[in-house]
């Protein structure tokens, strides 16, 4: 490690001089990274795009038969383009889920808007 001496001279208001000495250090850093880290980051990014991360909140609009689920899906899509709906099958029902919210607060804020047209909607956190 190299030390460098730096001398500073500052002129004071009353014509005096102030001299100080400061030492600094310089170093090189080397980062060693596991090769699998790049693959993990790519996989997480892909899972986020495909909506496969389960630690997210959703809003459920409906559960029941496929015909009604499709009607609710279409009605919702025409009124709220900002959060994408998705039909999920969990035997024996079809469910219409909306959004992929990071926390409960985001989901609750969206729910307030959605409940104006879908009063039975509620926030949930699916377990897969």
């Amino acid at each position: 490690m190299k030390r460098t001496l730096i001398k500073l001279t500052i002129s004071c208001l009353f014509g005096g001089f102030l001299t100080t000495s400061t030492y600094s250090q310089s170093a090189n850093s080397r980062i060693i990274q596991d090769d699998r880290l790049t693959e993990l980051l790519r996989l997480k990014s892909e899972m986020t795009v495909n909506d496969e991360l389960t630690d997210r909140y959703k809003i459920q609009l409906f559960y029941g038969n496929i015909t009604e689920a499709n009607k609710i899906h279409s009605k919702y899509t025409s009124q709220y383009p900002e959060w994408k709906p998705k039909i999920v099958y969990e035997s024996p029902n079809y469910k219409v889920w909306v959004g992929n919210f990071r926390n409960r607060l985001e989901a609750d804020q969206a729910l307030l808007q959605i409940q104006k047209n879908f009063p039975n909607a509620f926030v949930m956190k699916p377990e897969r």
Side-chain angles (χ1 to χ4, degrees):
M1 201 173 304
K2 229 183 349 179
R3 285 190 172 196
T4 306
L5 176 64
I6 301 172
K7 284 199 171 201
L8 299 173
T9 305
I10 301 172
S11 175
C12 293
L13 288 175
F14 299 110
F17 288 94
L18 173 68
T19 303
T20 184
S21 296
T22 304
Y23 290 94
S24 67
Q25 297 178 354
S26 62
N28 293 327
S29 297
R30 184 171 170 227
I31 298 174
I32 300 172
Q33 175 179 305
D34 190 329
D35 294 335
R36 296 174 292 179
L37 185 62
T38 305
E39 177 63 19
L40 284 173
L41 290 172
R42 185 197 62 73
L43 185 59
K44 182 181 184 285
S45 176
E46 186 178 306
M47 289 176 72
T48 301
V49 169
N50 294 334
D51 195 24
E52 294 174 359
L53 295 177
T54 58
D55 195 29
R56 298 289 181 123
Y57 290 88
K58 310 255 186 232
I59 296 174
Q60 183 167 309
L61 302 178
F62 172 82
Y63 73 95
N65 65 52
I66 186 66
T67 306
E68 286 299 314
N70 283 324
K71 287 179 186 176
I72 295 293
H73 185 279
S74 296
K75 179 180 174 187
Y76 173 84
T77 304
S78 68
Q79 294 176 356
Y80 300 96
E82 60 267 30
W83 303 293
K84 293 184 180 181
K86 177 178 173 180
I87 296 177
V88 178
Y89 178 71
E90 285 185 4
S91 183
N93 293 310
Y94 289 87
K95 300 177 179 185
V96 180
W97 290 349
V98 173
N100 190 25
F101 304 99
R102 290 177 295 184
N103 55 54
R104 180 70 191 231
L105 180 61
E106 286 181 5
D108 285 339
Q109 289 172 341
L111 181 65
L112 290 174
Q113 293 179 35
I114 292 169
Q115 279 185 326
K116 293 174 186 173
N117 293 305
F118 299 91
N120 294 327
F122 62 92
V123 173
M124 43 92 64
K125 194 172 189 179
E127 294 186 25
R128 294 187 182 198

